[in-house]
Amino acid sequence: QAAAKKLVEDQYSSSSEDDDDEDDDIDGKHGQILAKTFTTYTNQTDGDASELERTRQYVNEAFQSGAMTCLICIASIKRNQAVWSCFGCFCIFHLPCIQKWAKDSVFLISSPLTDDDFGKKDYPWPCPKCRFEYKRSETPTRYYCYCGKVEDPVLDPWLVPHSCGQVCEREFKPPCGHKCLLLCHPGPCPPCPKMVTTTCYCKKAKPVPRRCSTKEWSCQLPCGRKLPCGQHSCENPCHPGNCQPCPRVSKQRCVCGRQIAERLCASPLWQCDQVCFIKTLPCGNHTCEQVCHSGSCGECPRTGKRSCPCEKTKFIFPCTEDVPTCGDSCDKVLECGIHKCSQRCHRGPCETCRQEVEKQCRCGKHTKLMPCHKPYLCETKCTKIRDCQKHQCKRKCCPGNCPPCDQACGRTLGCRNHKCPSVCHRGSCYPCPETVDVKCNCSKTVLKVPCGRERTTKPPRCRELCSRLPTCHHPSQEKHNCHFGPCPPCRQPCQKGLKCGHFCPVSCHDEALVKQTGLHQPVGPWEQPSEPAFIQTALPCPPCQVPIPMECFGQHEVSPLPCHSVGPYSCKRFCGRLLDCQNHTCLKECHKVTSVNGNTDKRKAGPECLQCEEECSKPRPPGCPHRCILPCHPGECPPCIQMLKIKCHCKLLNLYIECIKITCADLKEKDLLTSCQNQCPKELPCGHRCKDTCHPGDCPGNCNQKVKLRCPCKRIKKELQCSKVQEGQVSLECDALCKEMKRKASEAELEAFENRLKGRRKNKRRRDEAETEQSVWEKYKRFIMLPICGVALLYYILGYL
């Protein structure tokens, strides 16, 4: 489980150690996605994208790995870490970091308080970046998405990190009644794209539909509203808010009317610097002493009841007389606030208090007799620790309320580059407010990062071309982007001239890395082998590989050969040229053949080809089983004159016939040659012998031999053709004479039978008389033997079947 968890963290983290492929800047894939995302907003705001820049910047930083940095711990914010976003500046911090920051800030503010005041006030804590104040109760305790809808949003590689993927729906600032339409996103919401119908500032033009974010517009016509001067009208184009003061100049009198000056028409009331001595007060004795004013000067301030300087007695005197002193003690409280003035009623301020009193110093450690008006400060220095908990107060005669420490903090900030410029304080210092530029090699692409992150931040991927000079023989190097370290090996074609006249087509090899071997021999087996050394050296051009068409020895093919190995070659095939026998081809490997008598035929064999030593292998005529008696030769084979031993059709005799006669004869001639000319020994179905000479195939079915046919009584006989008798076409019946003779014969036979029967009866009587009594076997042997004989007969029939 731990290994799986670590794998997920490594796979979905956005630390600075991620691959360069994930560090796509605004010109890469993420930039295209952002451009498409804000295209609708840009179109809906009439092309004004100024309000979108902050949102675009925050979303772009959320895509880039290592771009989001926690200003408290100066570490990258990974995609699987709990974060908190400020409502004022939208800066993102680690949730544990901001919790600790809020806790420390509240503690530092409330620590100087007494026990009675502690906990009575909800002291705020500031954002580390924008100092936007939050209440103590607003300290974040849980991890929410940017829009605050989902707690602990699930990590999804298809969404912006720390986003829930739902519609933002936060209210726009300033509020307009609408809500944000983007998906949950970091940074401020873009301008409101809703359509509203609104009129211009001066209300003269007709209402037109406009985007809510740009609903205030000017018709550019003169305003025409009456200016505060009451004389002129506003001539500025249609504008928001109140009209500007009247810009015209006119001559105007002051309030008292004694001076005239040219002044702006927007401020007609003004006062001159003269005192109003001209006007006489109602008493008739004094004049007005007020500076230029309007209206009446009022009553004389010396009329009515007036008090003496100590204000204990009041007198009524004319305005031309001063009020006398009453002669009583002054009794006014002196500046010390303790003693009273002991002089008689007098004009002017009272003197300082000169009474000697026992005074206690401000710190309360010493007492001394001294004039009341003088403060008493002892020389004792305060030893209390100031609120920074580091330095002593060291103020003389400190009453206990030590002032805050005024020394500089001087501690090194988390960036490790600067020191804290604030006064000495408790707790952690504020993050370094400086930013550092991380530049590419050519310094044309700059990435601003918080101070301290420049050590772990990868340089930005510069889109500018590398401007270094090539180190090989080429006048210019391949175009590639700006980079650190040495340039990649040159991959341009070498193009050096070879001896054959061609140019080297391989990649440049002026700076090839070659491994050096055999430079150091180990002393013994105990010495560890050193890593092989590589040196950069120029390699010679490889052999020319330009294909040159070349024909093989036997002229079978034309193949492209490398230029460095051009020459006659063998294609490794059989020669294939037709030998003199005109039947076989040369089986030697592809070889050179010289032409004879100017013969240029590529298919005819030459003197270098093999000589045919094979037997004739030409096909024989159909039916000839013999070989040609000649060696392999051109043209047709001679006719075969060997004798063939063949059985005749009837398979009784062996016939010897020349092979040529059999192979050249047609079907009828072959049947005649293979016949022995004797009578066919085969029997016909009727049982007679075939009368034809030796012939192929089956014998004819019509038998023409004469057979004798008799009538049923055998008296009449006649010779007929056998085939007709077998087919049942001819039959011989008895005539009337045959029937008469048959009748007479049956009568004679009957008479003879009767005569024999008479003689048997006499003999039977004689035997019966002499017959004795029969035994049981003789009586019943017929009944016993009959079934036995029947069963035996049945078994015999079944066995035969």
Side-chain angles (χ1 to χ4, degrees):
Q1 291 177 355
K5 183 177 180 181
K6 185 176 184 303
L7 176 63
V8 172
E9 291 179 356
D10 294 343
Q11 183 175 1
Y12 293 109
S13 67
S14 60
S15 62
S16 59
E17 288 81 8
D18 290 342
D19 295 333
D20 291 338
D21 294 339
E22 298 179 1
D23 296 335
D24 293 335
D25 53 7
I26 197 64
D27 295 332
K29 298 179 181 177
H30 293 160
Q32 297 176 4
I33 296 175
L34 289 179
K36 293 181 180 179
T37 303
F38 292 110
T39 298
T40 306
Y41 271 94
T42 306
N43 296 338
Q44 293 174 347
T45 55
D46 299 332
D48 182 15
S50 58
E51 297 294 334
L52 294 173
E53 290 304 322
R54 289 186 64 195
T55 306
R56 188 194 303 270
Q57 178 183 357
Y58 278 95
V59 176
N60 181 46
E61 290 180 354
F63 275 123
Q64 294 182 2
S65 61
M68 295 190 347
T69 305
C70 178
L71 296 181
I72 299 176
C73 63
I74 313 297
S76 296
I77 298 177
K78 300 182 180 180
R79 298 173 181 172
N80 57 348
Q81 291 178 334
V83 297
W84 176 82
S85 177
C86 176
F87 299 146
C89 61
F90 302 99
C91 187
I92 299 176
F93 306 91
H94 289 126
L95 184 61
C97 294
I98 198 64
Q99 289 175 343
K100 185 176 183 301
W101 177 272
K103 182 178 178 181
D104 294 346
S105 300
V106 173
F107 176 75
L108 293 176
I109 295 175
S110 59
S111 58
L113 302 177
T114 62
D115 295 339
D116 296 336
D117 296 334
F118 185 78
K120 293 183 178 180
K121 188 177 180 180
D122 190 4
Y123 291 97
W125 55 273
C127 169
K129 183 178 181 181
C130 65
R131 305 298 190 265
F132 183 82
E133 291 188 348
Y134 295 89
K135 296 181 180 179
R136 185 177 183 180
S137 58
E138 294 177 347
T139 302
T141 57
R142 297 185 180 275
Y143 169 40
Y144 288 93
C145 62
Y146 298 114
C147 64
K149 294 181 181 178
V150 179
E151 181 180 353
D152 295 330
V154 181
L155 177 62
D156 191 343
W158 298 102
L159 297 177
V160 177
H162 317 294
S163 171
C164 63
Q166 303 180 20
V167 179
C168 178
E169 293 185 348
R170 286 185 289 184
E171 293 186 357
F172 291 104
K173 292 181 181 180
C176 62
H178 304 127
K179 295 182 180 180
C180 180
L181 303 178
L182 282 181
L183 299 184
C184 182
H185 61 90
C189 296
C192 180
K194 291 287 185 179
M195 294 294 295
V196 294
T197 302
T198 180
T199 185
C200 63
Y201 297 114
C202 64
K203 311 296 182 183
K204 292 181 180 179
K206 294 182 179 180
V208 294
R210 290 181 63 85
R211 301 295 174 187
C212 183
S213 58
T214 58
K215 60 183 177 182
E216 297 181 354
W217 61 286
S218 173
C219 63
Q220 300 301 322
L221 297 176
C223 177
R225 285 185 285 186
K226 207 71 172 178
L227 295 177
C229 66
Q231 299 179 4
H232 307 103
S233 299
C234 180
E235 298 179 356
N236 294 330
C238 178
H239 59 85
N242 297 326
C243 297
Q244 295 181 356
C246 184
R248 298 187 181 183
V249 178
S250 61
K251 291 183 178 181
Q252 300 174 1
R253 288 184 177 272
C254 64
V255 175
C256 64
R258 286 188 290 177
Q259 292 186 4
I260 299 175
E262 287 188 354
R263 294 180 57 84
L264 292 174
C265 189
S267 55
L269 299 178
W270 65 286
Q271 290 178 327
C272 62
D273 54 354
Q274 296 183 8
V275 180
C276 183
F277 289 120
I278 301 177
K279 295 181 181 180
T280 304
L281 297 177
C283 65
N285 299 320
H286 302 93
T287 57
C288 180
E289 296 179 357
Q290 299 180 16
V291 182
C292 177
H293 65 88
S294 61
S296 62
C297 296
E299 297 292 335
C300 181
R302 299 170 64 89
T303 58
K305 290 184 178 182
R306 289 181 288 170
S307 300
C308 64
C310 68
E311 297 182 354
K312 291 182 179 180
T313 307
K314 293 185 178 182
F315 300 94
I316 299 176
F317 283 94
C319 65
T320 56
E321 299 181 8
D322 294 333
V323 176
T325 58
C326 64
D328 199 355
S329 60
C330 180
D331 289 337
K332 289 183 179 180
V333 180
L334 299 178
E335 292 180 357
C336 65
I338 301 174
H339 304 104
K340 294 183 179 181
C341 181
S342 58
Q343 295 180 0
R344 290 183 179 274
C345 179
H346 61 87
R347 293 183 174 87
C350 299
E351 61 181 6
T352 57
C353 183
R354 299 182 181 276
Q355 295 187 25
E356 285 192 356
V357 294
E358 186 178 1
K359 278 194 171 185
Q360 191 176 22
C361 66
R362 189 167 54 182
C363 63
K365 294 182 179 180
H366 305 279
T367 59
K368 185 180 180 181
L369 287 174
M370 58 186 309
C372 183
H373 71 279
K374 291 184 178 181
Y376 176 38
L377 299 175
C378 67
E379 297 296 325
T380 305
K381 292 185 178 180
C382 181
T383 58
K384 290 184 180 180
I385 303 298
R386 297 193 181 187
D387 57 354
C388 64
Q389 300 298 318
K390 292 182 180 181
H391 305 103
Q392 290 182 345
C393 178
K394 293 185 178 182
R395 189 173 61 161
K396 290 183 179 181
C397 195
C398 180
N401 55 344
C402 302
C405 184
D406 55 356
Q407 298 187 29
C409 177
R411 285 186 291 179
T412 303
L413 299 178
C415 63
R416 305 295 180 186
N417 296 329
H418 304 95
K419 293 185 178 181
C420 181
S422 304
V423 295
C424 190
H425 58 86
R426 294 175 61 187
S428 302
C429 299
Y430 278 101
C432 182
E434 301 292 333
T435 58
V436 181
D437 292 342
V438 179
K439 300 180 180 180
C440 66
N441 188 35
C442 64
S443 302
K444 294 183 179 179
T445 303
V446 180
L447 177 64
K448 289 187 177 294
V449 297
C451 184
R453 285 288 295 172
E454 69 275 6
R455 301 182 186 90
T456 58
T457 302
K458 292 182 180 180
R461 297 174 63 184
C462 183
R463 298 293 180 181
E464 300 293 332
L465 296 178
C466 180
S467 58
R468 298 179 185 177
L469 296 177
T471 56
C472 59
H473 68 278
H474 291 102
S476 62
Q477 62 178 350
E478 288 182 302
K479 293 182 179 180
H480 59 278
N481 292 341
C482 172
H483 60 90
F484 289 93
C487 292
C490 180
R491 300 190 181 185
Q492 301 181 68
C494 179
Q495 294 299 319
K496 288 183 179 179
L498 302 177
K499 295 181 180 180
C500 60
H502 298 113
F503 295 97
C504 181
V506 299
S507 299
C508 181
H509 45 82
D510 286 350
E511 297 176 346
L513 290 177
V514 179
K515 179 179 178 181
Q516 285 186 322
T517 57
L519 295 179
H520 175 70
Q521 295 295 332
V523 178
W526 58 85
E527 185 177 356
Q528 295 292 334
S530 60
E531 295 184 358
F534 291 88
I535 59 172
Q536 209 170 36
T537 182
L539 298 178
C541 294
C544 182
Q545 301 292 334
V546 176
I548 303 296
M550 194 69 187
E551 192 175 31
C552 65
F553 288 123
Q555 301 178 349
H556 300 113
E557 63 179 21
V558 176
S559 298
L561 296 180
C563 180
H564 71 279
S565 61
V566 168
Y569 72 100
S570 173
C571 65
K572 305 300 181 182
R573 301 179 185 175
F574 291 120
C575 176
R577 290 177 178 262
L578 190 63
L579 299 179
D580 295 337
C581 65
Q582 303 296 319
N583 298 323
H584 301 94
T585 57
C586 180
L587 298 179
K588 289 178 66 175
E589 189 179 295
C590 179
H591 58 89
K592 187 175 181 181
V593 180
T594 57
S595 59
V596 180
N597 299 328
N599 185 14
T600 59
D601 190 0
K602 296 181 180 180
R603 290 179 293 181
K604 190 173 182 180
E608 294 83 3
C609 294
L610 295 175
Q611 298 295 325
C612 182
E613 298 178 355
E614 301 267 342
E615 295 181 354
C616 180
S617 59
K618 291 184 178 180
R620 306 300 292 164
C624 178
H626 310 108
R627 291 185 178 181
C628 181
I629 58 175
L630 300 177
C632 187
H633 59 88
E636 297 293 335
C637 297
C640 182
I641 58 174
Q642 297 187 40
M643 303 299 289
L644 286 176
K645 183 179 179 181
I646 302 175
K647 289 277 188 179
C648 65
H649 299 302
C650 58
K651 310 298 182 182
L652 295 178
L653 298 176
N654 290 329
L655 303 178
Y656 294 91
I657 309 171
E658 291 183 359
C659 183
I660 183 76
K661 294 182 179 180
I662 292 294
T663 56
C664 295
D666 57 6
L667 186 59
K668 290 184 178 181
E669 292 178 352
K670 284 184 179 180
D671 292 343
L672 184 60
L673 289 173
T674 54
S675 175
C676 61
Q677 301 301 322
N678 294 325
Q679 185 181 355
C680 181
K682 299 177 183 178
E683 288 187 357
L684 298 178
C686 61
H688 299 118
R689 184 179 175 182
C690 181
K691 296 296 184 179
D692 294 340
T693 57
C694 181
H695 61 85
D698 296 332
C699 296
N702 296 329
C703 182
N704 297 325
Q705 190 172 351
K706 299 294 184 177
V707 295
K708 292 181 179 181
L709 183 64
R710 293 178 179 272
C711 67
C713 65
K714 309 296 183 179
R715 186 185 70 84
I716 304 173
K717 63 178 180 179
K718 190 177 182 181
E719 289 186 356
L720 298 174
Q721 193 173 354
C722 180
S723 60
K724 293 182 179 181
V725 174
Q726 293 294 329
E727 294 175 0
Q729 298 179 2
V730 179
S731 62
L732 189 60
E733 299 294 337
C734 294
D735 55 1
L737 181 59
C738 291
K739 292 178 181 180
E740 182 63 26
M741 290 177 67
K742 188 175 182 181
R743 185 182 62 77
K744 288 181 179 182
S746 61
E747 290 178 356
E749 185 177 356
L750 180 59
E751 184 179 357
F753 177 76
E754 289 176 355
N755 292 333
R756 286 194 303 271
L757 186 59
K758 290 178 180 180
R760 288 180 182 177
R761 288 178 179 175
K762 291 179 181 181
N763 293 335
K764 188 175 181 183
R765 289 191 189 123
R766 293 173 185 171
R767 283 195 301 269
D768 291 341
E769 290 176 359
E771 189 176 12
T772 58
E773 187 178 1
Q774 294 180 351
S775 62
V776 178
W777 166 254
E778 292 176 346
K779 290 182 180 180
Y780 299 100
K781 65 179 180 180
R782 289 182 300 172
F783 300 98
I784 295 172
M785 293 300 295
L786 185 60
I788 293 174
C789 293
V791 172
L793 181 60
L794 181 61
Y795 273 103
Y796 176 78
I797 294 172
L798 291 175
Y800 180 79
L801 294 175

